[in-house]
Amino acid sequence: MTLIDETAPAGIRSPAADADAAVAPVSPAAPPALAAPATVSMAAALNRALRDALTDDPSVVVFGEDVGPLGGVFRITDALTADFGESRVWDSPLAESGIVGTAIGMAMYGMRPVIEMQFDAFAYPAFEQITSHLAKMRNRTRGRISLPIVIRIPYAGGIGGVEHHSDSSEAYYTHTPGLTVVTPSNPADAYSMLREAIASDDPVIFLEPKSRYWSKDTVALPVQTEPMNRAVVLREGTDVTLLAYGPTVKTALQAAELGAAEGLSVEVVDLRSLSPFDDETVGPSVQKTSRAAIIHEAAQFGGYGAEVAARVTERQFFHLAAPVLRITGFDIPFPAPKLEEHYLPTAERVLAALDTWEW
Amino acid sequence: MTLIDETAPAGIRSPAADADAAVAPVSPAAPPALAAPATVSMAAALNRALRDALTDDPSVVVFGEDVGPLGGVFRITDALTADFGESRVWDSPLAESGIVGTAIGMAMYGMRPVIEMQFDAFAYPAFEQITSHLAKMRNRTRGRISLPIVIRIPYAGGIGGVEHHSDSSEAYYTHTPGLTVVTPSNPADAYSMLREAIASDDPVIFLEPKSRYWSKDTVALPVQTEPMNRAVVLREGTDVTLLAYGPTVKTALQAAELGAAEGLSVEVVDLRSLSPFDDETVGPSVQKTSRAAIIHEAAQFGGYGAEVAARVTERQFFHLAAPVLRITGFDIPFPAPKLEEHYLPTAERVLAALDTWEW
Amino acid sequence: MSDNVVPTLPTAEPIRLIDENGHAVTGEQTAGFAMPDDETLLDLYRAMVTARRFDTQVTALTRQGRLATYPSALGQEACEIAAVKSLGADDWLFPTYRDTIALLTRGVSPVEILSFFRGDWHMAYDPHEHRIAPQSTPLATQALHAVGLATAATLKGDAVVSLAFLGDGSTSEGDAHEAFNFASVWQAPTIFVISNNQYAISVPFAKQSHARTLADRAIGYGMPGFFVDGNDVAAMYAVVSAAVDRARAGGGPSMIEGLTYRMEAHTNSDDPTRYREKTEVADWQGRDPIARLESYLDAAGVLTPELRESISVEAEDLASRTRDAMNETPVIDPLELFDHVYSTPRAALLEQREYLAHELAQTETAPGGHA
Amino acid sequence: MSDNVVPTLPTAEPIRLIDENGHAVTGEQTAGFAMPDDETLLDLYRAMVTARRFDTQVTALTRQGRLATYPSALGQEACEIAAVKSLGADDWLFPTYRDTIALLTRGVSPVEILSFFRGDWHMAYDPHEHRIAPQSTPLATQALHAVGLATAATLKGDAVVSLAFLGDGSTSEGDAHEAFNFASVWQAPTIFVISNNQYAISVPFAKQSHARTLADRAIGYGMPGFFVDGNDVAAMYAVVSAAVDRARAGGGPSMIEGLTYRMEAHTNSDDPTRYREKTEVADWQGRDPIARLESYLDAAGVLTPELRESISVEAEDLASRTRDAMNETPVIDPLELFDHVYSTPRAALLEQREYLAHELAQTETAPGGHA
Ligand SMILES: Cc1ncc(C[n+]2csc(CCOP(=O)(O)OP(=O)(O)O)c2C)c(N)n1
Ligand SMILES: Cc1ncc(C[n+]2csc(CCOP(=O)(O)OP(=O)(O)O)c2C)c(N)n1
Ligand SMILES: [Mg+2]
Ligand SMILES: [Mg+2]
């Protein structure tokens, strides 16, 4: 069991969370009270979220490449075709633009498609449909057509994938107005956030950290965690705020442990929502610690960390004792399997970076 | 004649410019000395750059949608087919992925394709070819295959275009390792930078600010300005550094004029190169003024300004008297023609933003 | 993969029911399609006349600077009107920027149509009210939306058909192929009407495709394909409505290419003299879709002078109503820019809305401020 | 648009020269293609046997964890080898991750081939040395590169042909269509060889296309299309080499579909039991491309026991050389990560290179540090 598995679901609630809890729908069919805790992987939690959504809402459909009988290359859609039938969950032809484009048409007719891009880099063929239509349709039609579509994208590295199988493509989506972009870091959030994403009337890019698919946790499903538009303080600290999301949350928590050993009190925030950014949760944390660092796998230049550093600095400039640090991948294409260990940010790199500050 | 036309080409040279000048190739066939000054628009300068490149290097070919007899919808390729023949400049079928994909194959066989995406948003169908191949081929092949391809993209707004005709898509490209991204703001740079982009062995995303196509200037073509990887200080000042590129350079210069009237000494830097970012030129300027603002048309969230603000702050934190400001478009899809005036950053907005600082 | 029935090629000569002189065609070239009844033909005639008058009026308004841009469909009325008239009220239309007269024919008001081209907003009409998707600018992308919508309707048990317009050039885009393929694999009730006006802005069809006809693509999808005289509204109507009936009955998608010609420039900002001969345009003037039907209906004694008169009066009336409408300057609240991006409000957008509201308040009071 | 010659449909039955029992085929099903001479067939046989031995060896090494992944082409040797053997030394091959044995056949060394699958780097061999592009993972994208390269060669006056491998599933991608269309419009000397192994990972061909055959697509591009028995190397060789000759002579592109079957899982990490019947696999075992040619050559008296023996010895030798090579752990300098991104050094990358160099220096000295 990894660090994150103990801390994440029981994470400290962010201040405004209760207030906002209302906006997070949960399957009425399955009140959390009734469920018994069990050990579930993120993959299993995602599968359960899809099942519950398919059960609760007949307008939900799931399609994409290999999501049918195979259950997806990561088995996230395991047994869904068998249990819900070909008319709810099916294999589409092999064309990502086609998958997103037809999902848009289905949503125009009242459906809630949940589609899968098999890997991060294989969503690129759909880029025009995503940026020019999915993101803009509601605005174009003055709100007359909303597109309640979830695009599930397994992303980031850490699994020894060959090229094109480890991209962190979040920055392309977060810069596109009209999209909501979220990413869970643990099984409980994976379930809760996917349910909320499917219930949302806006298109959601749902980024699944593939290196965390097999991370396990003790959760009672169905579970409702923080609303998906909120960040969560996973660990409290006073010296520095580590901002992380998806695959790097574990890294941040490990860094916090290492730091503690060195007498450094590290606060860890799981951003969860990349667009919108939860200034309400991050602001107070940085004001408290007066130092912040953002950790992600994507290349640094123009990466999501740039937005985080820029906005935190804009809002907390006079609270900051040092510039916001960016601990990220290098500005190179994602390396081949044998070299990815040298590319991915590690807890050691985080601490080394913190050491570059004058304290 | 606009502000920029007087100032831009005669801009103050950036410190390291002379040192680097060597890396900027210029047509040996046409030594600057011989040329006589004339009034040229950016469109004419680009056309001349293509002509000179086609003349000097038989491996240069130009193709895309409507670049042949029509000369492109903006006439940048005017009369090139007539003068160089169908085998050098031709109309391709209507498919952007096809245009980029075939250009990659041509470059593998030693050609230097200069291709046009008719408008910013119409480059999105080529996104996979650009991110997964164009940007990665050299790295993938350990330098054995370089792709000397220039993708010309008319971008940004200000011409009353209907939707999809005014996107500022630079952030998608600048975040992609392997790409070089540049954008000229005046006719002289348009000529010089396009020549240099075509001569480069790396793929270059050449962003042409369509609202500046018709801006005129007195230049002697061929001209060699700063190397395309350098920023240029267009106007010296001591109170604040305005960082701008492409269409917003004019805005920055106007703001500087307005500021001067109010007794504010504004330094204006034309970034020119978006990837790489010229820290060598920007750093000293910000150290001098201790205040910086970045201006662009693209949406703010995750926009190029985020990288600028983040890196300037990382490097100059203890020199900064105030947070770096971002004066940008709103986080919405680009508006319809009648509303774009409310979206685009203006000199007034720049000054208003500067007023938000405590001085 | 469909069972090994040998697929049949589209005819080499375009399917035609009324020839260029307005005479009924018999034999092979009808490909077995029957002439629509007089009432239908009259209805098509009325719609085409109205559409053309509207189109010329809008082109004029654009020249006067009332509109930001307008892609005219002059000369392409047969494809446009035949396709729209083949649809039922619950069916969905997926048009491009070129298909404005199709919107008019389906009942969208001139103002709601032209608001887009005037630049007020990206669109004005209610897609659900008219079952018309927004006019798509990114080429071929709308074809996939049409397939998705038709598939959703089928899944819900509704006998709804979708029809997507495509230009010849746009068929070169990957999305066109993906739409054809998804439609055939899913047997979606979607009709693809390709208005082959032989130009993609300046690029002639010969540089767009090496195929004999675009309809020849259909075989590669196991889909019925038809090559039709796109200036013969009778043939277009017969073929498209048959395809709509087949789709509604569960027969799957069809691809229909109408061979026509773009008489006007691509848009007002285009200069066709750079890429095509005046003589070519003149040739096609002789194949005018309206004149052709007119002489046929004349000869058939269906189109009386009174009727023709009343139809042109209707058309003139629409034109003047359009002029008047376009003379009013629309009131658009810039603050609406922030209202539709997301279904739930976002702090950042509310802040930015506040910012603009504040700026507007100031400029209103300031000298030389807009508004 | 090409002149109105009525295009001919591919045959409904796959073109075949040697049937499943190893007997020469005569009449219609040969579609007029002649049997390659014995020498050629023997050469094809040798290459297939070697390729299969290599493939099974690599699969074994992958199971032992020596490689990160390996997509086997077991059972598809006829398509792969026939295609490669049809090319001249100056022609270019554009393979996918599936076409590893094609690289072997064209002379790339086992280590240079497997370095990619072992995860050392994205590729190891020199594309220019072998005239082989990197094995493409983004589906169908390489087909456009093939068209571009062949077009560039033509423009330069070089009689170079390019051949792109495509899988059945990848033909659903927009890029496949764009490649077919660009190739036909530009009359590029490019051969598209579609190895229809009937699955895209788990998705059967029936969910990928509704067409009778993929070769039927060719008509839509005015391109010759051939539906071939992909397990008959004689037929594949005859059809592909004829297409190569035609392309070299200026006859433009061709589309060739080889109907075959993927005997192994998609990759080592796939579980075919979830989506296909063992019986189906068994059926195809009976159509093995090597066994078929073997019995033909046996009967023809061309393949003597001695020859067969020496060929299998060669194959075994390659296998053991491959094992040995894969047992060595490669030395890769992590700092090379920064060396090839751009042709000219970038300050930011040099800084990052420095950073990693510093880190490596530390971890080497640190306890438990890697290396
Ligand atoms: C994806 C994309 N690429 C380029 C354009 C620019 N563009 C607008 S119309 C046009 C020509 C379209 O030709 P065709 O499909 O034949 O339709 P027509 O205008 O003739 O009706 C082009 C290239 C676009 N709108 N979308
Ligand atoms: C653009 C893109 N989308 C998805 C994938 C993931 N993927 C890899 S192989 C494959 C199936 C390809 O099937 P096919 O084209 O028939 O080739 P085969 O593997 O059968 O040889 C898929 C979906 C990819 N590599 N590229
Ligand atoms: Mg056209
Ligand atoms: Mg396959």
Side-chain angles (χ1 to χ4, degrees):
Chain A
M1 208 72 334
T2 61
L3 255 179
I4 190 172
D5 303 320
E6 286 97 47
T7 49
I12 296 140
R13 292 176 71 78
S14 65
D18 296 306
D20 286 28
V23 311
V26 68
S27 149
L34 300 175
T39 303
V40 286
S41 65
M42 179 182 282
L46 291 166
N47 179 268
R48 174 67 187 276
L50 291 170
R51 292 185 162 281
D52 291 352
L54 284 159
T55 304
D56 295 353
D57 183 347
S59 66
V60 172
V61 291
V62 173
F63 66 100
E65 297 157 10
D66 303 289
V67 298
L70 180 63
V73 294
F74 291 107
R75 303 294 184 268
I76 306 303
T77 57
D78 189 25
L80 296 182
T81 293
D83 298 349
F84 294 92
E86 282 258 4
S87 63
R88 300 291 306 282
V89 181
W90 69 91
D91 288 323
S92 73
L94 207 174
E96 294 75 14
S97 188
I99 291 166
V100 175
T102 52
I104 289 171
M106 292 183 198
M108 290 173 70
Y109 202 79
M111 293 211 154
R112 292 183 171 273
V114 183
I115 55 181
E116 175 178 299
M117 302 281 105
Q118 202 161 77
F119 285 86
D120 28 66
F122 306 140
Y124 301 153
F127 201 68
E128 179 186 34
Q129 286 287 353
I130 292 172
T131 50
S132 294
H133 286 302
L134 186 66
K136 292 178 175 166
M137 188 67 80
R138 191 175 195 287
N139 181 69
R140 170 185 301 133
T141 61
R142 298 178 121 149
R144 286 175 173 132
I145 294 180
S146 357
L147 297 177
I149 293 171
V150 176
I151 304 186
R152 293 181 39 249
I153 307 181
Y155 80 116
I159 64 164
V162 294
E163 62 170 354
H164 310 295
H165 291 74
S166 302
D167 282 17
S168 286
S169 40
E170 63 271 18
Y172 298 136
Y173 306 114
T174 52
H175 180 51
T176 306
L179 298 179
T180 294
V181 184
V182 302
T183 181
S185 69
N186 60 77
D189 275 348
Y191 178 91
S192 186
M193 291 167 75
L194 183 51
R195 290 305 306 277
E196 189 177 347
I198 295 170
S200 166
D201 285 336
D202 292 321
V204 177
I205 305 296
F206 194 87
L207 299 170
E208 302 174 359
K210 57 177 90 83
S211 63
R212 306 299 297 146
Y213 271 146
W214 305 281
S215 69
K216 292 206 177 57
D217 208 344
T218 308
V219 202
L221 296 180
V223 64
Q224 176 179 344
T225 62
E226 302 305 314
M228 70 174 182
N229 63 345
R230 301 312 306 262
V232 168
V233 177
L234 291 185
R235 175 184 174 121
E236 282 191 325
T238 53
D239 297 336
V240 55
T241 300
L242 292 185
L243 304 165
Y245 55 91
T248 59
V249 169
K250 181 185 174 190
T251 317
L253 289 165
Q254 288 170 331
E257 285 295 306
L258 291 183
E262 296 177 13
L264 196 68
S265 173
V266 179
E267 180 146 309
V268 175
V269 177
D270 180 352
L271 292 177
R272 299 168 84 252
S273 176
L274 302 187
S275 175
F277 182 88
D278 182 3
D279 295 298
E280 281 180 57
T281 301
V282 173
S285 174
V286 175
Q287 284 173 16
K288 177 178 66 176
T289 61
S290 79
R291 292 169 187 268
I294 169 74
I295 313 169
H296 62 61
E297 287 188 16
Q300 179 166 107
F301 196 85
Y304 187 71
E307 176 59 34
V308 173
R311 70 192 298 115
V312 166
T313 306
E314 281 162 358
R315 289 161 174 71
Q316 314 301 338
F317 188 73
F318 296 102
H319 290 279
L320 285 174
V324 176
L325 286 171
R326 293 186 282 171
I327 299 118
T328 69
F330 299 118
D331 293 320
I332 61 176
F334 196 91
K338 283 230 162 48
L339 295 176
E340 75 175 338
E341 65 169 317
H342 300 293
Y343 174 93
L344 296 170
T346 59
E348 293 70 22
R349 279 187 187 170
V350 173
L351 289 185
L354 300 186
D355 280 344
T356 63
W357 275 331
E358 284 159 29
W359 287 84
Chain B
M1 209 69 337
T2 61
L3 252 180
I4 190 171
D5 303 320
E6 286 97 47
T7 48
I12 296 139
R13 292 176 74 78
S14 66
D18 296 307
D20 286 29
V23 311
V26 68
S27 150
L34 301 176
T39 303
V40 286
S41 66
M42 179 182 283
L46 291 166
N47 179 266
R48 174 67 186 276
L50 291 171
R51 294 184 160 279
D52 291 352
L54 283 159
T55 304
D56 296 352
D57 184 348
S59 64
V60 172
V61 290
V62 173
F63 66 100
E65 297 157 8
D66 303 291
V67 299
L70 181 63
V73 294
F74 291 108
R75 304 294 185 267
I76 306 304
T77 56
D78 189 24
L80 296 183
T81 294
D83 299 346
F84 294 90
E86 282 258 4
S87 63
R88 300 292 304 283
V89 182
W90 70 90
D91 289 322
S92 74
L94 208 173
E96 294 74 13
S97 188
I99 292 166
V100 175
T102 52
I104 288 171
M106 291 183 199
M108 289 174 71
Y109 202 80
M111 294 210 152
R112 293 184 171 273
V114 182
I115 55 180
E116 175 178 299
M117 302 280 105
Q118 201 161 77
F119 285 86
D120 29 64
F122 305 140
Y124 300 153
F127 201 68
E128 179 187 33
Q129 286 287 354
I130 293 172
T131 51
S132 293
H133 286 303
L134 186 65
K136 292 177 174 165
M137 188 67 79
R138 190 174 197 289
N139 181 69
R140 171 185 303 133
T141 61
R142 297 178 121 151
R144 288 179 173 126
I145 295 179
S146 344
L147 296 177
I149 293 171
V150 175
I151 304 186
R152 295 181 38 249
I153 308 180
Y155 81 115
I159 64 163
V162 295
E163 63 168 357
H164 310 296
H165 290 74
S166 303
D167 281 16
S168 286
S169 39
E170 61 272 18
Y172 298 135
Y173 305 113
T174 51
H175 180 50
T176 305
L179 298 179
T180 294
V181 185
V182 302
T183 181
S185 69
N186 60 76
D189 276 347
Y191 178 90
S192 185
M193 292 167 73
L194 183 51
R195 289 306 304 276
E196 189 177 347
I198 295 170
S200 167
D201 285 336
D202 292 320
V204 177
I205 305 295
F206 194 87
L207 299 170
E208 302 173 357
K210 58 177 90 84
S211 63
R212 307 297 300 144
Y213 271 146
W214 305 281
S215 69
K216 291 208 176 55
D217 209 343
T218 308
V219 202
L221 296 181
V223 64
Q224 176 179 343
T225 62
E226 301 306 313
M228 72 175 182
N229 64 342
R230 302 313 305 263
V232 168
V233 177
L234 290 185
R235 174 183 175 123
E236 283 192 324
T238 54
D239 296 337
V240 56
T241 299
L242 291 185
L243 304 165
Y245 55 91
T248 59
V249 169
K250 181 185 174 190
T251 316
L253 290 165
Q254 288 170 331
E257 284 296 306
L258 291 182
E262 296 177 13
L264 195 68
S265 172
V266 179
E267 181 145 309
V268 176
V269 177
D270 181 351
L271 292 178
R272 302 168 81 252
S273 177
L274 302 186
S275 175
F277 182 88
D278 181 4
D279 295 297
E280 281 181 56
T281 301
V282 173
S285 174
V286 175
Q287 284 173 19
K288 177 177 65 175
T289 62
S290 79
R291 292 169 187 267
I294 168 74
I295 313 168
H296 62 62
E297 287 188 16
Q300 179 165 108
F301 195 86
Y304 186 71
E307 176 59 35
V308 173
R311 70 191 300 115
V312 167
T313 307
E314 282 162 358
R315 290 161 174 71
Q316 314 302 339
F317 188 73
F318 297 103
H319 290 280
L320 285 173
V324 176
L325 286 171
R326 292 186 284 170
I327 299 118
T328 69
F330 299 119
D331 294 321
I332 62 175
F334 196 90
K338 281 229 161 54
L339 294 176
E340 74 175 338
E341 64 170 320
H342 300 293
Y343 174 92
L344 297 170
T346 59
E348 292 71 21
R349 278 187 188 171
V350 173
L351 288 186
L354 301 185
D355 281 344
T356 63
W357 275 331
E358 283 157 31
W359 286 83
Chain C
M1 187 157 38
S2 61
D3 20 55
N4 278 8
V5 181
V6 178
T8 50
L9 270 172
T11 52
E13 287 305 306
I15 297 171
R16 184 176 286 167
L17 295 181
I18 299 178
D19 69 19
E20 297 178 4
N21 310 319
H23 304 135
V25 173
T26 54
E28 247 195 26
Q29 235 194 315
T30 68
F33 285 95
M35 181 74 75
D37 59 38
D38 289 348
E39 200 183 315
T40 305
L41 291 177
L42 210 46
D43 184 43
L44 291 167
Y45 174 78
R46 176 182 284 104
M48 287 201 291
V49 170
T50 312
R52 174 164 298 180
R53 185 62 191 88
F54 177 76
D55 189 276
T56 51
Q57 179 59 70
V58 176
T59 297
L61 285 165
T62 309
R63 291 221 180 80
Q64 296 157 30
R66 293 267 161 67
L67 301 177
T69 182
Y70 180 65
S72 164
L74 191 80
Q76 303 179 211
E77 293 86 358
C79 290
E80 299 284 337
I81 278 52
V84 179
K85 289 286 187 178
S86 301
L87 293 177
D90 296 339
D91 298 332
W92 272 77
L93 180 69
F94 289 78
T96 75
Y97 53 88
R98 176 76 58 204
D99 311 306
T100 307
I101 58 173
L103 275 57
L104 178 79
T105 308
R106 198 161 163 84
V108 185
S109 76
V111 186
E112 284 191 323
I113 290 173
L114 298 178
S115 171
F116 166 54
F117 295 108
R118 185 168 54 188
D120 309 347
W121 197 271
H122 310 295
M123 78 178 297
Y125 60 90
D126 181 344
H128 293 292
E129 179 191 347
H130 301 280
R131 267 84 57 217
I132 304 178
Q135 288 183 273
S136 180
T137 305
L139 297 167
T141 55
Q142 74 284 356
L144 281 163
H145 306 162
V147 174
L149 184 136
T151 301
T154 306
L155 288 170
K156 290 190 171 195
D158 301 344
V160 168
V161 170
S162 68
L163 186 149
F165 277 116
L166 288 160
D168 47 315
S170 76
T171 63
S172 296
E173 291 281 3
D175 273 14
H177 159 64
E178 296 186 18
F180 300 152
N181 193 48
F182 274 67
S184 61
V185 171
W186 292 352
Q187 284 297 288
T190 301
I191 316 302
F192 302 102
V193 173
I194 303 169
S195 300
N196 183 352
N197 62 10
Q198 302 180 61
Y199 284 92
I201 303 186
S202 70
V203 183
F205 184 62
K207 289 183 181 174
Q208 208 63 250
S209 168
H210 189 67
R212 191 184 57 155
T213 73
L214 284 169
D216 281 354
R217 292 247 175 97
I219 279 185
Y221 303 101
M223 194 194 296
F226 304 89
F227 179 47
V228 186
D229 180 340
N231 281 11
D232 175 1
V233 73
M236 281 300 296
Y237 181 83
V239 175
V240 176
S241 45
V244 169
D245 296 346
R246 186 169 52 246
R248 206 184 302 286
S254 298
M255 187 186 303
I256 297 157
E257 173 187 8
L259 184 66
T260 180
Y261 194 81
R262 193 195 76 213
M263 300 302 295
E264 280 281 357
H266 172 71
T267 67
N268 48 298
S269 55
D270 178 35
D271 173 11
T273 63
R274 286 177 162 251
Y275 55 82
R276 69 183 186 186
E277 298 299 328
K278 288 217 163 45
T279 56
E280 185 184 276
V281 182
D283 288 351
W284 279 90
Q285 223 116 30
R287 313 196 181 115
D288 185 74
I290 296 181
R292 191 192 297 198
L293 178 60
E294 194 163 288
S295 38
Y296 173 86
L297 291 173
D298 260 343
V302 178
L303 183 63
T304 62
E306 302 69 36
L307 200 46
R308 182 184 303 169
E309 176 55 20
S310 74
I311 289 174
S312 73
V313 167
E314 277 173 41
E316 274 313 320
D317 176 55
L318 172 76
S320 65
R321 277 187 284 116
T322 303
R323 274 194 306 277
D324 301 346
M326 285 302 104
N327 285 338
E328 291 154 20
T329 28
V331 199
I332 323 148
D333 179 4
L335 295 180
E336 193 181 338
L337 283 173
F338 304 92
D339 297 350
H340 310 300
V341 184
Y342 295 97
S343 62
T344 50
R346 279 193 175 200
L349 286 188
L350 294 177
E351 277 171 29
Q352 294 173 16
R353 192 179 198 278
E354 258 321 292
Y355 173 91
L356 181 57
H358 176 74
E359 189 181 72
L360 291 169
Q362 285 186 317
T363 45
E364 265 157 23
T365 52
H370 39 243
Chain D
M1 190 156 38
S2 59
D3 21 55
N4 279 8
V5 182
V6 179
T8 50
L9 270 173
T11 52
E13 286 305 306
I15 296 171
R16 183 175 288 166
L17 297 180
I18 299 177
D19 70 18
E20 297 177 3
N21 309 318
H23 302 135
V25 173
T26 53
E28 247 197 25
Q29 237 194 312
T30 67
F33 286 96
M35 181 76 74
D37 58 39
D38 289 347
E39 199 184 316
T40 304
L41 291 176
L42 210 46
D43 185 43
L44 292 167
Y45 173 77
R46 176 181 285 105
M48 287 202 291
V49 170
T50 312
R52 174 165 297 181
R53 186 62 191 90
F54 177 75
D55 189 277
T56 51
Q57 179 58 70
V58 176
T59 296
L61 286 165
T62 310
R63 290 219 182 81
Q64 295 158 32
R66 293 268 161 65
L67 300 178
T69 181
Y70 179 65
S72 163
L74 191 81
Q76 303 180 210
E77 293 86 357
C79 290
E80 298 282 339
I81 278 55
V84 179
K85 289 287 188 176
S86 302
L87 293 177
D90 295 340
D91 297 333
W92 272 76
L93 180 69
F94 288 79
T96 75
Y97 53 88
R98 176 76 57 205
D99 311 305
T100 307
I101 57 173
L103 274 58
L104 178 79
T105 308
R106 198 161 164 83
V108 185
S109 76
V111 186
E112 284 191 322
I113 290 172
L114 298 177
S115 172
F116 167 54
F117 296 108
R118 184 168 55 188
D120 309 346
W121 197 271
H122 311 294
M123 79 178 298
Y125 59 90
D126 181 344
H128 293 292
E129 179 192 346
H130 301 279
R131 266 86 57 216
I132 304 177
Q135 288 183 274
S136 180
T137 305
L139 296 167
T141 54
Q142 75 283 357
L144 282 162
H145 306 163
V147 175
L149 184 136
T151 300
T154 307
L155 287 171
K156 291 189 173 197
D158 301 344
V160 168
V161 170
S162 67
L163 186 149
F165 277 117
L166 289 160
D168 48 313
S170 76
T171 64
S172 295
E173 291 282 3
D175 273 15
H177 159 63
E178 296 186 17
F180 300 152
N181 193 48
F182 274 67
S184 61
V185 172
W186 292 352
Q187 285 297 287
T190 302
I191 316 302
F192 302 102
V193 173
I194 304 170
S195 299
N196 183 352
N197 63 9
Q198 303 179 59
Y199 284 92
I201 303 185
S202 71
V203 183
F205 185 62
K207 289 182 181 173
Q208 208 63 250
S209 169
H210 189 68
R212 188 185 58 155
T213 74
L214 284 169
D216 281 354
R217 291 248 175 96
I219 278 184
Y221 304 100
M223 195 195 294
F226 304 87
F227 179 47
V228 185
D229 179 339
N231 282 12
D232 175 2
V233 72
M236 281 301 295
Y237 182 82
V239 175
V240 177
S241 46
V244 169
D245 295 344
R246 186 170 50 249
R248 204 182 303 286
S254 298
M255 187 186 301
I256 298 156
E257 173 186 8
L259 185 66
T260 180
Y261 193 82
R262 193 195 76 215
M263 300 302 294
E264 280 282 355
H266 171 71
T267 67
N268 49 298
S269 55
D270 179 35
D271 173 10
T273 64
R274 286 176 163 252
Y275 55 82
R276 69 182 187 188
E277 298 299 329
K278 289 220 163 44
T279 56
E280 185 184 278
V281 182
D283 288 352
W284 280 89
Q285 224 115 30
R287 311 195 182 118
D288 184 73
I290 297 181
R292 188 190 299 197
L293 180 59
E294 195 162 288
S295 37
Y296 173 85
L297 292 173
D298 260 342
V302 178
L303 184 64
T304 62
E306 301 68 37
L307 201 47
R308 184 185 300 170
E309 177 55 18
S310 74
I311 290 174
S312 73
V313 167
E314 276 172 42
E316 274 312 320
D317 177 56
L318 173 75
S320 66
R321 277 187 286 117
T322 303
R323 274 194 306 277
D324 300 344
M326 286 301 105
N327 284 338
E328 290 155 20
T329 28
V331 198
I332 323 150
D333 180 2
L335 297 180
E336 192 181 339
L337 282 173
F338 304 91
D339 298 349
H340 310 299
V341 185
Y342 295 96
S343 62
T344 50
R346 278 193 176 200
L349 286 189
L350 294 177
E351 276 171 31
Q352 294 173 18
R353 191 178 197 280
E354 258 320 293
Y355 173 92
L356 182 57
H358 177 75
E359 189 181 73
L360 291 168
Q362 284 187 321
T363 46
E364 265 156 24
T365 54
H370 39 245

